[in-house]
Amino acid sequence: MNELAEAASDKQLGRTIKKYGRVDLLCLDELGYVKLDRHGAELLFQIFTEREERHAIAVASNRPFTEWDQTFTDKRLCQAIVDRLTFEAHIIETGTQSFRLAGTTAKRKAAAA
């Protein structure tokens, strides 16, 4: 988001969006932890639109879609983002237990045995 905001300030936003539009797989980890203002959400939406139906996006979040309006504070924009991400998507729900915590716990048990 910082890079997008800086690119917008430097009048280089189009170039930066195209850069993120070209990569084969865009990975966003822990989406939902940091609240985005309307401008940040609009910039992210532009990235999703640029990639739409051409390149993959992988998103990890511990929040269900019903709580994304806490991250994307504009409800209509939030709906548009969820719509873009979920169109023909493969959604994998892993549950509520932290994957990292489970891995650490398993390693400790194995080391103690």
Side-chain angles (χ1 to χ4, degrees):
M1 296 311 307
N2 292 338
E3 183 178 355
L4 292 173
E6 289 173 13
S9 295
D10 295 340
K11 299 186 183 339
Q12 298 294 318
L13 184 59
R15 181 179 297 168
T16 303
I17 287 175
K18 290 201 181 304
K19 176 180 83 170
Y20 283 109
R22 284 191 302 266
V23 297
D24 292 331
L25 175 64
L26 179 65
C27 298
L28 302 172
D29 191 20
E30 298 183 3
L31 187 63
Y33 281 105
V34 177
K35 187 179 285 191
L36 297 176
D37 63 7
R38 180 170 178 82
H39 182 65
E42 288 171 349
L43 293 173
L44 189 58
F45 180 76
Q46 288 182 50
I47 298 287
F48 293 160
T49 300
E50 177 71 22
R51 300 182 62 77
E52 188 175 22
E53 297 186 41
R54 291 183 299 182
H55 298 289
I57 301 173
V59 176
S61 177
N62 72 337
R63 290 182 176 237
F65 292 123
T66 57
E67 294 179 9
W68 279 27
D69 61 351
Q70 295 172 28
T71 299
F72 304 103
T73 55
D74 182 285
K75 290 187 186 287
R76 292 178 75 170
L77 185 53
C78 177
Q79 290 173 337
I81 287 171
V82 170
D83 183 62
R84 286 278 194 276
L85 285 176
T86 59
F87 180 68
E88 295 189 10
H90 298 280
I91 299 171
I92 302 168
E93 294 185 52
T94 60
T96 58
Q97 184 180 10
S98 166
F99 177 76
R100 291 177 180 102
L101 177 60
T104 301
T105 302
K107 285 180 184 177
R108 286 186 182 159
K109 284 181 181 177

